[in-house]
């Protein structure tokens, strides 16, 4: 700060506080000599030097008089040697601080004595100590007392909104509670009904008799068997006694196929006396639903129902799978007692007969012609009667009545008389599970299947009967092999069937466009092949598959081709042409043809022109000259006199 006084004016005895000298206080070390008294400065004051900062007054050293006045206190604090006797004015100190003289500041810190900093004293916290104030949210908008009063209409709207909000909340809460409760009830119901199913080993999923397994992916195929055991409840309802026939026979055998798109249902009935080749089977005990461990060799000329009596569900499934080529994924077996109780639980079924139905063994089944509702006992006799003179071949007449009975039952279910009646539906399921032995069948599976078939009309449900051509010397029905192959080929390929009323979109077939770029060979390790024999040489497919596997092709199946082939053809689905061309390049004379339902599988159809050997395929990445054909393979024609029943047909016959 500046000094406005005259520098030549006499100095008063009392100095101002800012005029007191500033000295550096050095700490005294042990053993230091006694401090020398300060030297008095008797020279006249020098004129001030003009610094960069404002001029400050000269600070003079205290005299002996001053020391006497303060009791020597200042002289004790200010002990300097002659070398450090020069004083520093306030102006000079201010200038040095402004210039940022760090060296002098460091020296000052080093010369400053170590003085303990004072400790802040904090009062103890008691109940009387006031609490710290916290920030409170500021009010937004006008105060409630300053707002305008609502009208009656506005207040009524507010009340309605509150009521609607409360009702919605309550409704959502009730819905959530009901959903949880219903889920628990359904889960418990499904678990309890599943426990009612008697399990039995029946399926053969790895059978080599399955034709075009990749094309059947997503299909659901059920083998349904009605047994005529005389033991237990079935004997009590008039099925006979164990003295008449021991064990159990397959009185009804029906193969039901539902394609992956759920567009139709096809049920094929097998005559119980069908002449079959029985495979090697393990003995079956029908009373305990277990296998005995005793093995029986394969045999020709056996009846279909005797196959079940000897080897049980396993032997029957193998036999039906070999005849049809279908992959059976579910097995359902039911005796007479189970059938009767199910019909009674749903309140009976409507049947129709053009004339009274009289059986030579069961007696009068239906005394009056026309449409009528029958109970469980009458319905059982209706589907069992096989000695009816007016029907000629008793087995086929019985099959026809079974198909018409199931058609009526299906129409009743589709009309929601059963599906929407909880009492009838629950009783039907309970009766079904209590007298049924199954494999790979659960209540949830049946419910899911039923939902997927909700949009299927009765006209899209077709019942077929396996065609035969008379009987042999043992009374066995002789199968018509070509017609049977045509039926199951149409089922596998999803071709139209006689009497079927399915609405299918019309597809326009056009020739495939010519490829602009050449077809390049692929790695054989990436190609999966199904080898099918369409030639007259047995065992040709097995030989060809072994040779193709040596080049790295993946063989997934070997069998006979269901249909006809003009020459050796490699069939493929769209997008698999390079794979098919690579396979065809290793088979002399083979051509390629686009097909349907093969997915990523390539099918080799060995025709009559197959030379009996294969060659190395084209190297990976090399172009292939492809010979494309269309319509060289096809399914065998269906017989014109094929017996069928459409579920929508409700005429009385």
């Amino acid at each position: 700060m500046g000094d406005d006084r005259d520098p030549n004016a006499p100095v008063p005895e009392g100095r101002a506080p800012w005029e007191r000298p500033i000295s550096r206080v050095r700490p005294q070390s042990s053993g230091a000599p006694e401090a020398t008294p300060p030297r008095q400065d008797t020279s006249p004051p020098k004129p001030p030097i003009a610094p960069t900062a404002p001029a400050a007054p000269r600070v003079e050293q205290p005299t002996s008089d001053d020391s006497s006045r303060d009791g020597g206190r200042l002289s004790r604090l200010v002990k300097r040697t002659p070398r450090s006797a020069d004083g520093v004015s306030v102006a000079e100190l201010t200038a040095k601080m402004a210039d940022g003289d760090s060296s002098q500041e460091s020296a000052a810190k080093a010369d400053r004595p170590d003085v303990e900093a004072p400790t802040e004293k904090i009062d103890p916290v008691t109940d009387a100590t006031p609490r710290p104030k916290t920030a409170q949210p500021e009010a937004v908008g006008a105060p409630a007392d300053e707002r305008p009063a609502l009208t009656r209409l506005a207040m009524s709207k507010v009340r309605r909104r509150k009521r609607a909000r409360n009702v919605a909340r309550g409704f959502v809460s009730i819905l959530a509670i009901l959903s949880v409760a219903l889920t628990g009830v359904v889960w418990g119901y499904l678990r309890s009904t599943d426990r009612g199913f008697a399990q039995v080993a029946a399926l053969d999923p790895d059978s080599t008799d399955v034709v075009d397994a990749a094309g059947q992916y997503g299909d659901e195929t059920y083998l349904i068997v009605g047994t005529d055991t005389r033991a237990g409840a079935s004997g009590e309802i008039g099925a006979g006694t164990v003295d008449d026939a021991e064990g159990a026979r397959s009185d009804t055998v029906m193969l039901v196929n539902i394609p992956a798109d759920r567009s139709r249902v096809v049920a094929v009935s097998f005559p119980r006396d069908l002449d079959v080749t029985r495979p090697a089977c393990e003995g079956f005990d029908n009373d305990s639903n277990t296998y005995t461990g005793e093995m029986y060799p394969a045999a020709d000329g056996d009846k279909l129902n005797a196959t079940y009596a000897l080897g049980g569900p396993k032997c029957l499934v193998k036999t039906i799978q070999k005849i049809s080529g279908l992959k059976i994924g579910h097995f359902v077996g039911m005796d007479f007692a189970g059938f009767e109780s199910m019909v009674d639980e749903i309140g009976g079924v409507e049947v129709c007969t053009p004339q009274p139905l009289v059986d030579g063994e069961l007696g009068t089944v239906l005394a009056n012609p026309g449409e009528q509702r029958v109970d469980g006992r009458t319905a059982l006799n209706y589907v069992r009667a096989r000695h009816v003179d007016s029907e000629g071949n008793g087995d086929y007449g019985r099959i026809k009545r079974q198909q018409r009975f199931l058609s009526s039952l299906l129409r009743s279910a589709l009309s929601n008389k059963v599906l929407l009646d909880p009492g009838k539906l629950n009783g039907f399921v309970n009766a079904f599970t209590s007298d049924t032995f199954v494999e790979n069948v659960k209540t949830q599976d049946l419910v899911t299947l039923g939902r997927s078939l909700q949009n299927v009309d009765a006209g899209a449900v077709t019942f077929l009967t396996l065609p035969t051509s008379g009987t042999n010397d043992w009374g066995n029905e002789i199968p018509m092999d070509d017609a049977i192959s045509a039926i199951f080929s149409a089922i596998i390929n999803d071709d139209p069937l006689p009497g079927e009323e399915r609405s299918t979109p019309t597809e326009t077939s056009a020739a495939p466009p010519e490829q602009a770029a050449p077809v390049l060979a692929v790695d054989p390790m990436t190609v999966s092949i199904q080898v099918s024999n369409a030639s007259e040489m047995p065992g040709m497919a097995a030989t060809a598959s072994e040779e193709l596997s040596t080049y790295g092709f993946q063989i997934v199946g070997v069998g006979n081709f269901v249909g006809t082939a003009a020459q050796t053809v490699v069939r493929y689905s769209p997008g698999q042409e390079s794979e098919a061309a690579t396979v065809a390049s290793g088979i002399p004379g083979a051509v390629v043809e686009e097909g349907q339902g093969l997915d990523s599988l390539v099918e080799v159809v060995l025709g009559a022109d197959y030379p009996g050997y294969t060659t190395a395929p084209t190297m990976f990445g090399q172009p292939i000259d492809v010979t494309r054909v269309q319509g060289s393979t096809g399914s065998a024609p269906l017989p014109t006199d094929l017996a069928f029943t459409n579920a929508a047909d409700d005429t009385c016959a």
Side-chain angles (χ1 to χ4, degrees):
M1 47 191 306
D3 189 1
D4 296 336
R5 295 185 301 172
D6 185 3
N8 297 324
V11 180
E13 296 180 357
R15 294 184 178 91
W18 61 79
E19 293 178 338
R20 295 180 181 177
I22 300 176
S23 303
R24 293 184 176 87
V25 181
R26 300 180 182 273
Q28 296 181 1
S29 60
S30 61
E34 187 176 348
T36 307
R39 184 182 58 182
Q40 295 183 357
D41 188 5
T42 57
S43 61
K46 297 179 182 181
I49 301 174
T52 57
R58 176 70 176 274
V59 179
E60 298 182 357
Q61 300 294 335
T63 60
S64 58
D65 297 336
D66 298 330
S67 300
S68 61
R69 280 196 300 268
D70 59 12
R73 176 174 57 81
L74 188 59
S75 63
R76 288 194 301 271
L77 293 174
V78 185
K79 295 180 180 180
R80 296 178 297 177
T81 61
R83 296 180 182 178
S84 60
D86 296 336
V88 181
S89 65
V90 175
E92 292 173 346
L93 180 60
T94 305
K96 290 180 179 180
M97 292 176 63
D99 293 341
D101 190 356
S102 59
S103 61
Q104 213 170 37
E105 183 179 355
S106 301
K109 291 181 179 179
D111 295 340
R112 190 176 301 131
D114 295 334
V115 180
E116 183 179 0
T119 303
E120 182 181 1
K121 183 179 180 182
I122 302 176
D123 296 333
V125 179
T126 61
D127 295 339
T129 303
R131 295 182 178 274
K133 295 183 178 180
T134 57
Q136 298 295 331
E138 297 181 359
V140 179
D145 53 354
E146 296 181 5
R147 297 174 188 170
L150 295 176
T151 62
R152 288 186 176 180
L153 181 59
M155 294 179 65
S156 177
K157 289 182 178 180
V158 171
R159 286 193 295 269
R160 282 199 301 270
R161 281 197 297 268
K162 288 183 178 180
R163 283 197 299 268
R165 187 164 51 249
N166 293 335
V167 170
R169 290 175 179 172
F171 180 74
V172 170
S173 301
I174 294 174
L175 224 103
I177 295 173
L178 289 178
S179 299
V180 174
L182 186 60
T183 301
V185 170
V186 171
W187 181 83
Y189 175 74
L190 295 177
R191 288 292 301 273
S192 64
T193 53
D194 287 342
R195 285 193 294 267
F197 285 118
Q199 300 295 323
V200 63
L203 303 179
D204 185 15
D206 299 325
S207 174
T208 57
D209 296 323
V210 176
V211 176
D212 191 9
Q216 298 185 47
Y217 180 79
D219 294 2
E220 298 285 355
T221 304
Y222 290 77
L223 181 61
I224 302 176
V225 179
T227 63
D228 63 349
T229 176
R230 269 65 166 169
S234 296
E236 296 175 1
I237 63 175
T241 65
V242 293
D243 296 332
D244 301 330
E246 295 181 358
R249 281 143 300 280
S250 53
D251 190 69
T252 300
V253 178
M254 187 172 292
L255 190 62
V256 181
N257 176 263
I258 305 168
D261 60 0
R262 307 295 188 260
S263 60
R264 71 177 182 184
V265 178
V266 182
V268 181
S269 297
F270 289 73
R272 56 176 287 171
D273 294 334
L274 181 70
D275 187 82
V276 298
T277 299
R278 190 193 70 224
C281 297
E282 182 182 3
F284 181 72
D285 183 2
N286 185 77
D287 295 335
S288 60
N289 278 343
T290 58
Y291 293 89
T292 62
E294 183 180 2
M295 296 300 299
Y296 295 93
D300 296 331
D302 207 354
K303 290 185 179 182
L304 185 65
N305 65 343
T307 299
Y308 180 88
L310 182 68
K314 274 187 179 181
C315 198
L316 182 63
V317 167
K318 288 181 179 181
T319 304
I320 298 298
Q321 212 156 233
K322 186 175 184 62
I323 295 173
S324 65
L326 292 174
K327 184 177 181 179
I328 301 174
H330 311 273
F331 176 84
V332 178
M334 181 182 304
D335 58 19
F336 291 147
F339 179 85
E340 179 182 353
S341 60
M342 282 193 300
V343 174
D344 287 335
E345 286 292 344
I346 62 176
V349 177
E350 295 284 345
V351 298
C352 185
T353 179
Q355 56 190 0
L357 182 63
V358 181
D359 182 80
E361 291 184 356
L362 301 176
T364 301
V365 179
L366 297 177
N368 301 316
E371 186 173 348
Q372 50 200 296
R373 178 173 291 273
V374 296
D375 59 7
R377 177 65 60 88
T378 305
L380 178 60
N381 291 333
Y382 177 82
V383 299
R384 285 185 58 213
R386 60 192 302 261
H387 298 282
V388 181
D389 295 336
S390 60
E391 293 180 346
N393 187 320
D395 205 9
Y396 280 91
R398 183 175 61 90
I399 289 175
K400 186 69 173 180
R401 274 182 274 108
Q402 290 175 356
Q403 294 175 351
R404 297 189 67 83
F405 179 86
L406 292 176
S407 298
S408 177
L409 179 63
L410 178 64
R411 289 194 302 270
S412 177
L414 292 178
S415 65
N416 297 328
K417 293 180 180 178
V418 175
L419 297 180
L420 296 184
D421 189 330
K424 291 183 179 180
L425 183 59
N426 182 64
F428 181 82
V429 172
N430 289 335
F432 181 79
T433 58
S434 61
D435 294 287
T436 306
F437 46 100
V438 302
E439 184 177 7
N440 197 25
V441 176
K442 296 181 180 179
T443 307
Q444 181 63 43
D445 299 334
L446 298 177
V447 172
T448 302
L449 182 62
R451 289 177 178 174
S452 65
L453 295 176
Q454 285 180 351
N455 297 326
V456 177
D457 296 330
V461 180
T462 305
F463 294 90
L464 302 176
T465 303
L466 209 69
T468 59
S469 57
T471 59
N472 58 19
D473 296 339
W474 297 278
N476 297 353
E477 298 283 346
I478 303 173
M480 298 176 62
D481 294 333
D482 292 340
I484 292 173
S485 297
I487 290 173
F488 290 111
S489 176
I491 293 175
I492 294 173
N493 297 327
D494 202 18
D495 295 334
L497 295 171
E500 188 177 63
E501 300 176 3
R502 180 176 51 156
S503 57
T504 56
T506 304
E507 298 181 358
T508 58
S509 58
E514 294 295 333
Q515 296 289 334
V519 178
L520 302 180
V522 300
D523 185 0
M525 294 290 292
T526 63
V527 184
S528 299
I529 299 178
Q530 163 77 34
V531 183
S532 301
N533 188 9
S535 67
E536 297 180 356
M537 295 294 295
M540 195 65 69
T543 303
S545 63
E546 291 179 1
E547 295 185 5
L548 290 172
S549 64
T550 61
Y551 300 113
F553 293 107
Q554 306 298 308
I555 308 299
V556 298
V558 177
N560 294 322
F561 182 69
V562 182
T564 60
Q567 60 185 129
T568 300
V569 181
V570 180
R571 301 175 67 242
Y572 66 94
S573 293
Q576 300 292 319
E577 184 177 8
S578 297
E579 287 78 359
T582 304
V583 177
S585 67
I587 304 176
V591 295
V592 299
E593 179 182 26
E594 184 175 326
Q596 299 295 330
L598 294 172
D599 295 330
S600 60
L601 193 69
V602 174
E603 183 178 20
V604 177
V605 181
L606 302 176
D609 63 339
Y610 176 61
Y613 64 90
T614 60
T615 60
T618 304
M619 295 293 293
F620 172 71
Q622 298 298 318
I624 306 175
D625 294 331
V626 183
T627 302
R628 301 178 181 86
V629 297
Q630 192 172 9
S632 64
T633 59
S635 302
L638 291 169
T640 56
D641 58 345
L642 183 63
F644 63 89
T645 300
N646 189 275
D649 184 11
D650 58 354
T651 59
C652 189

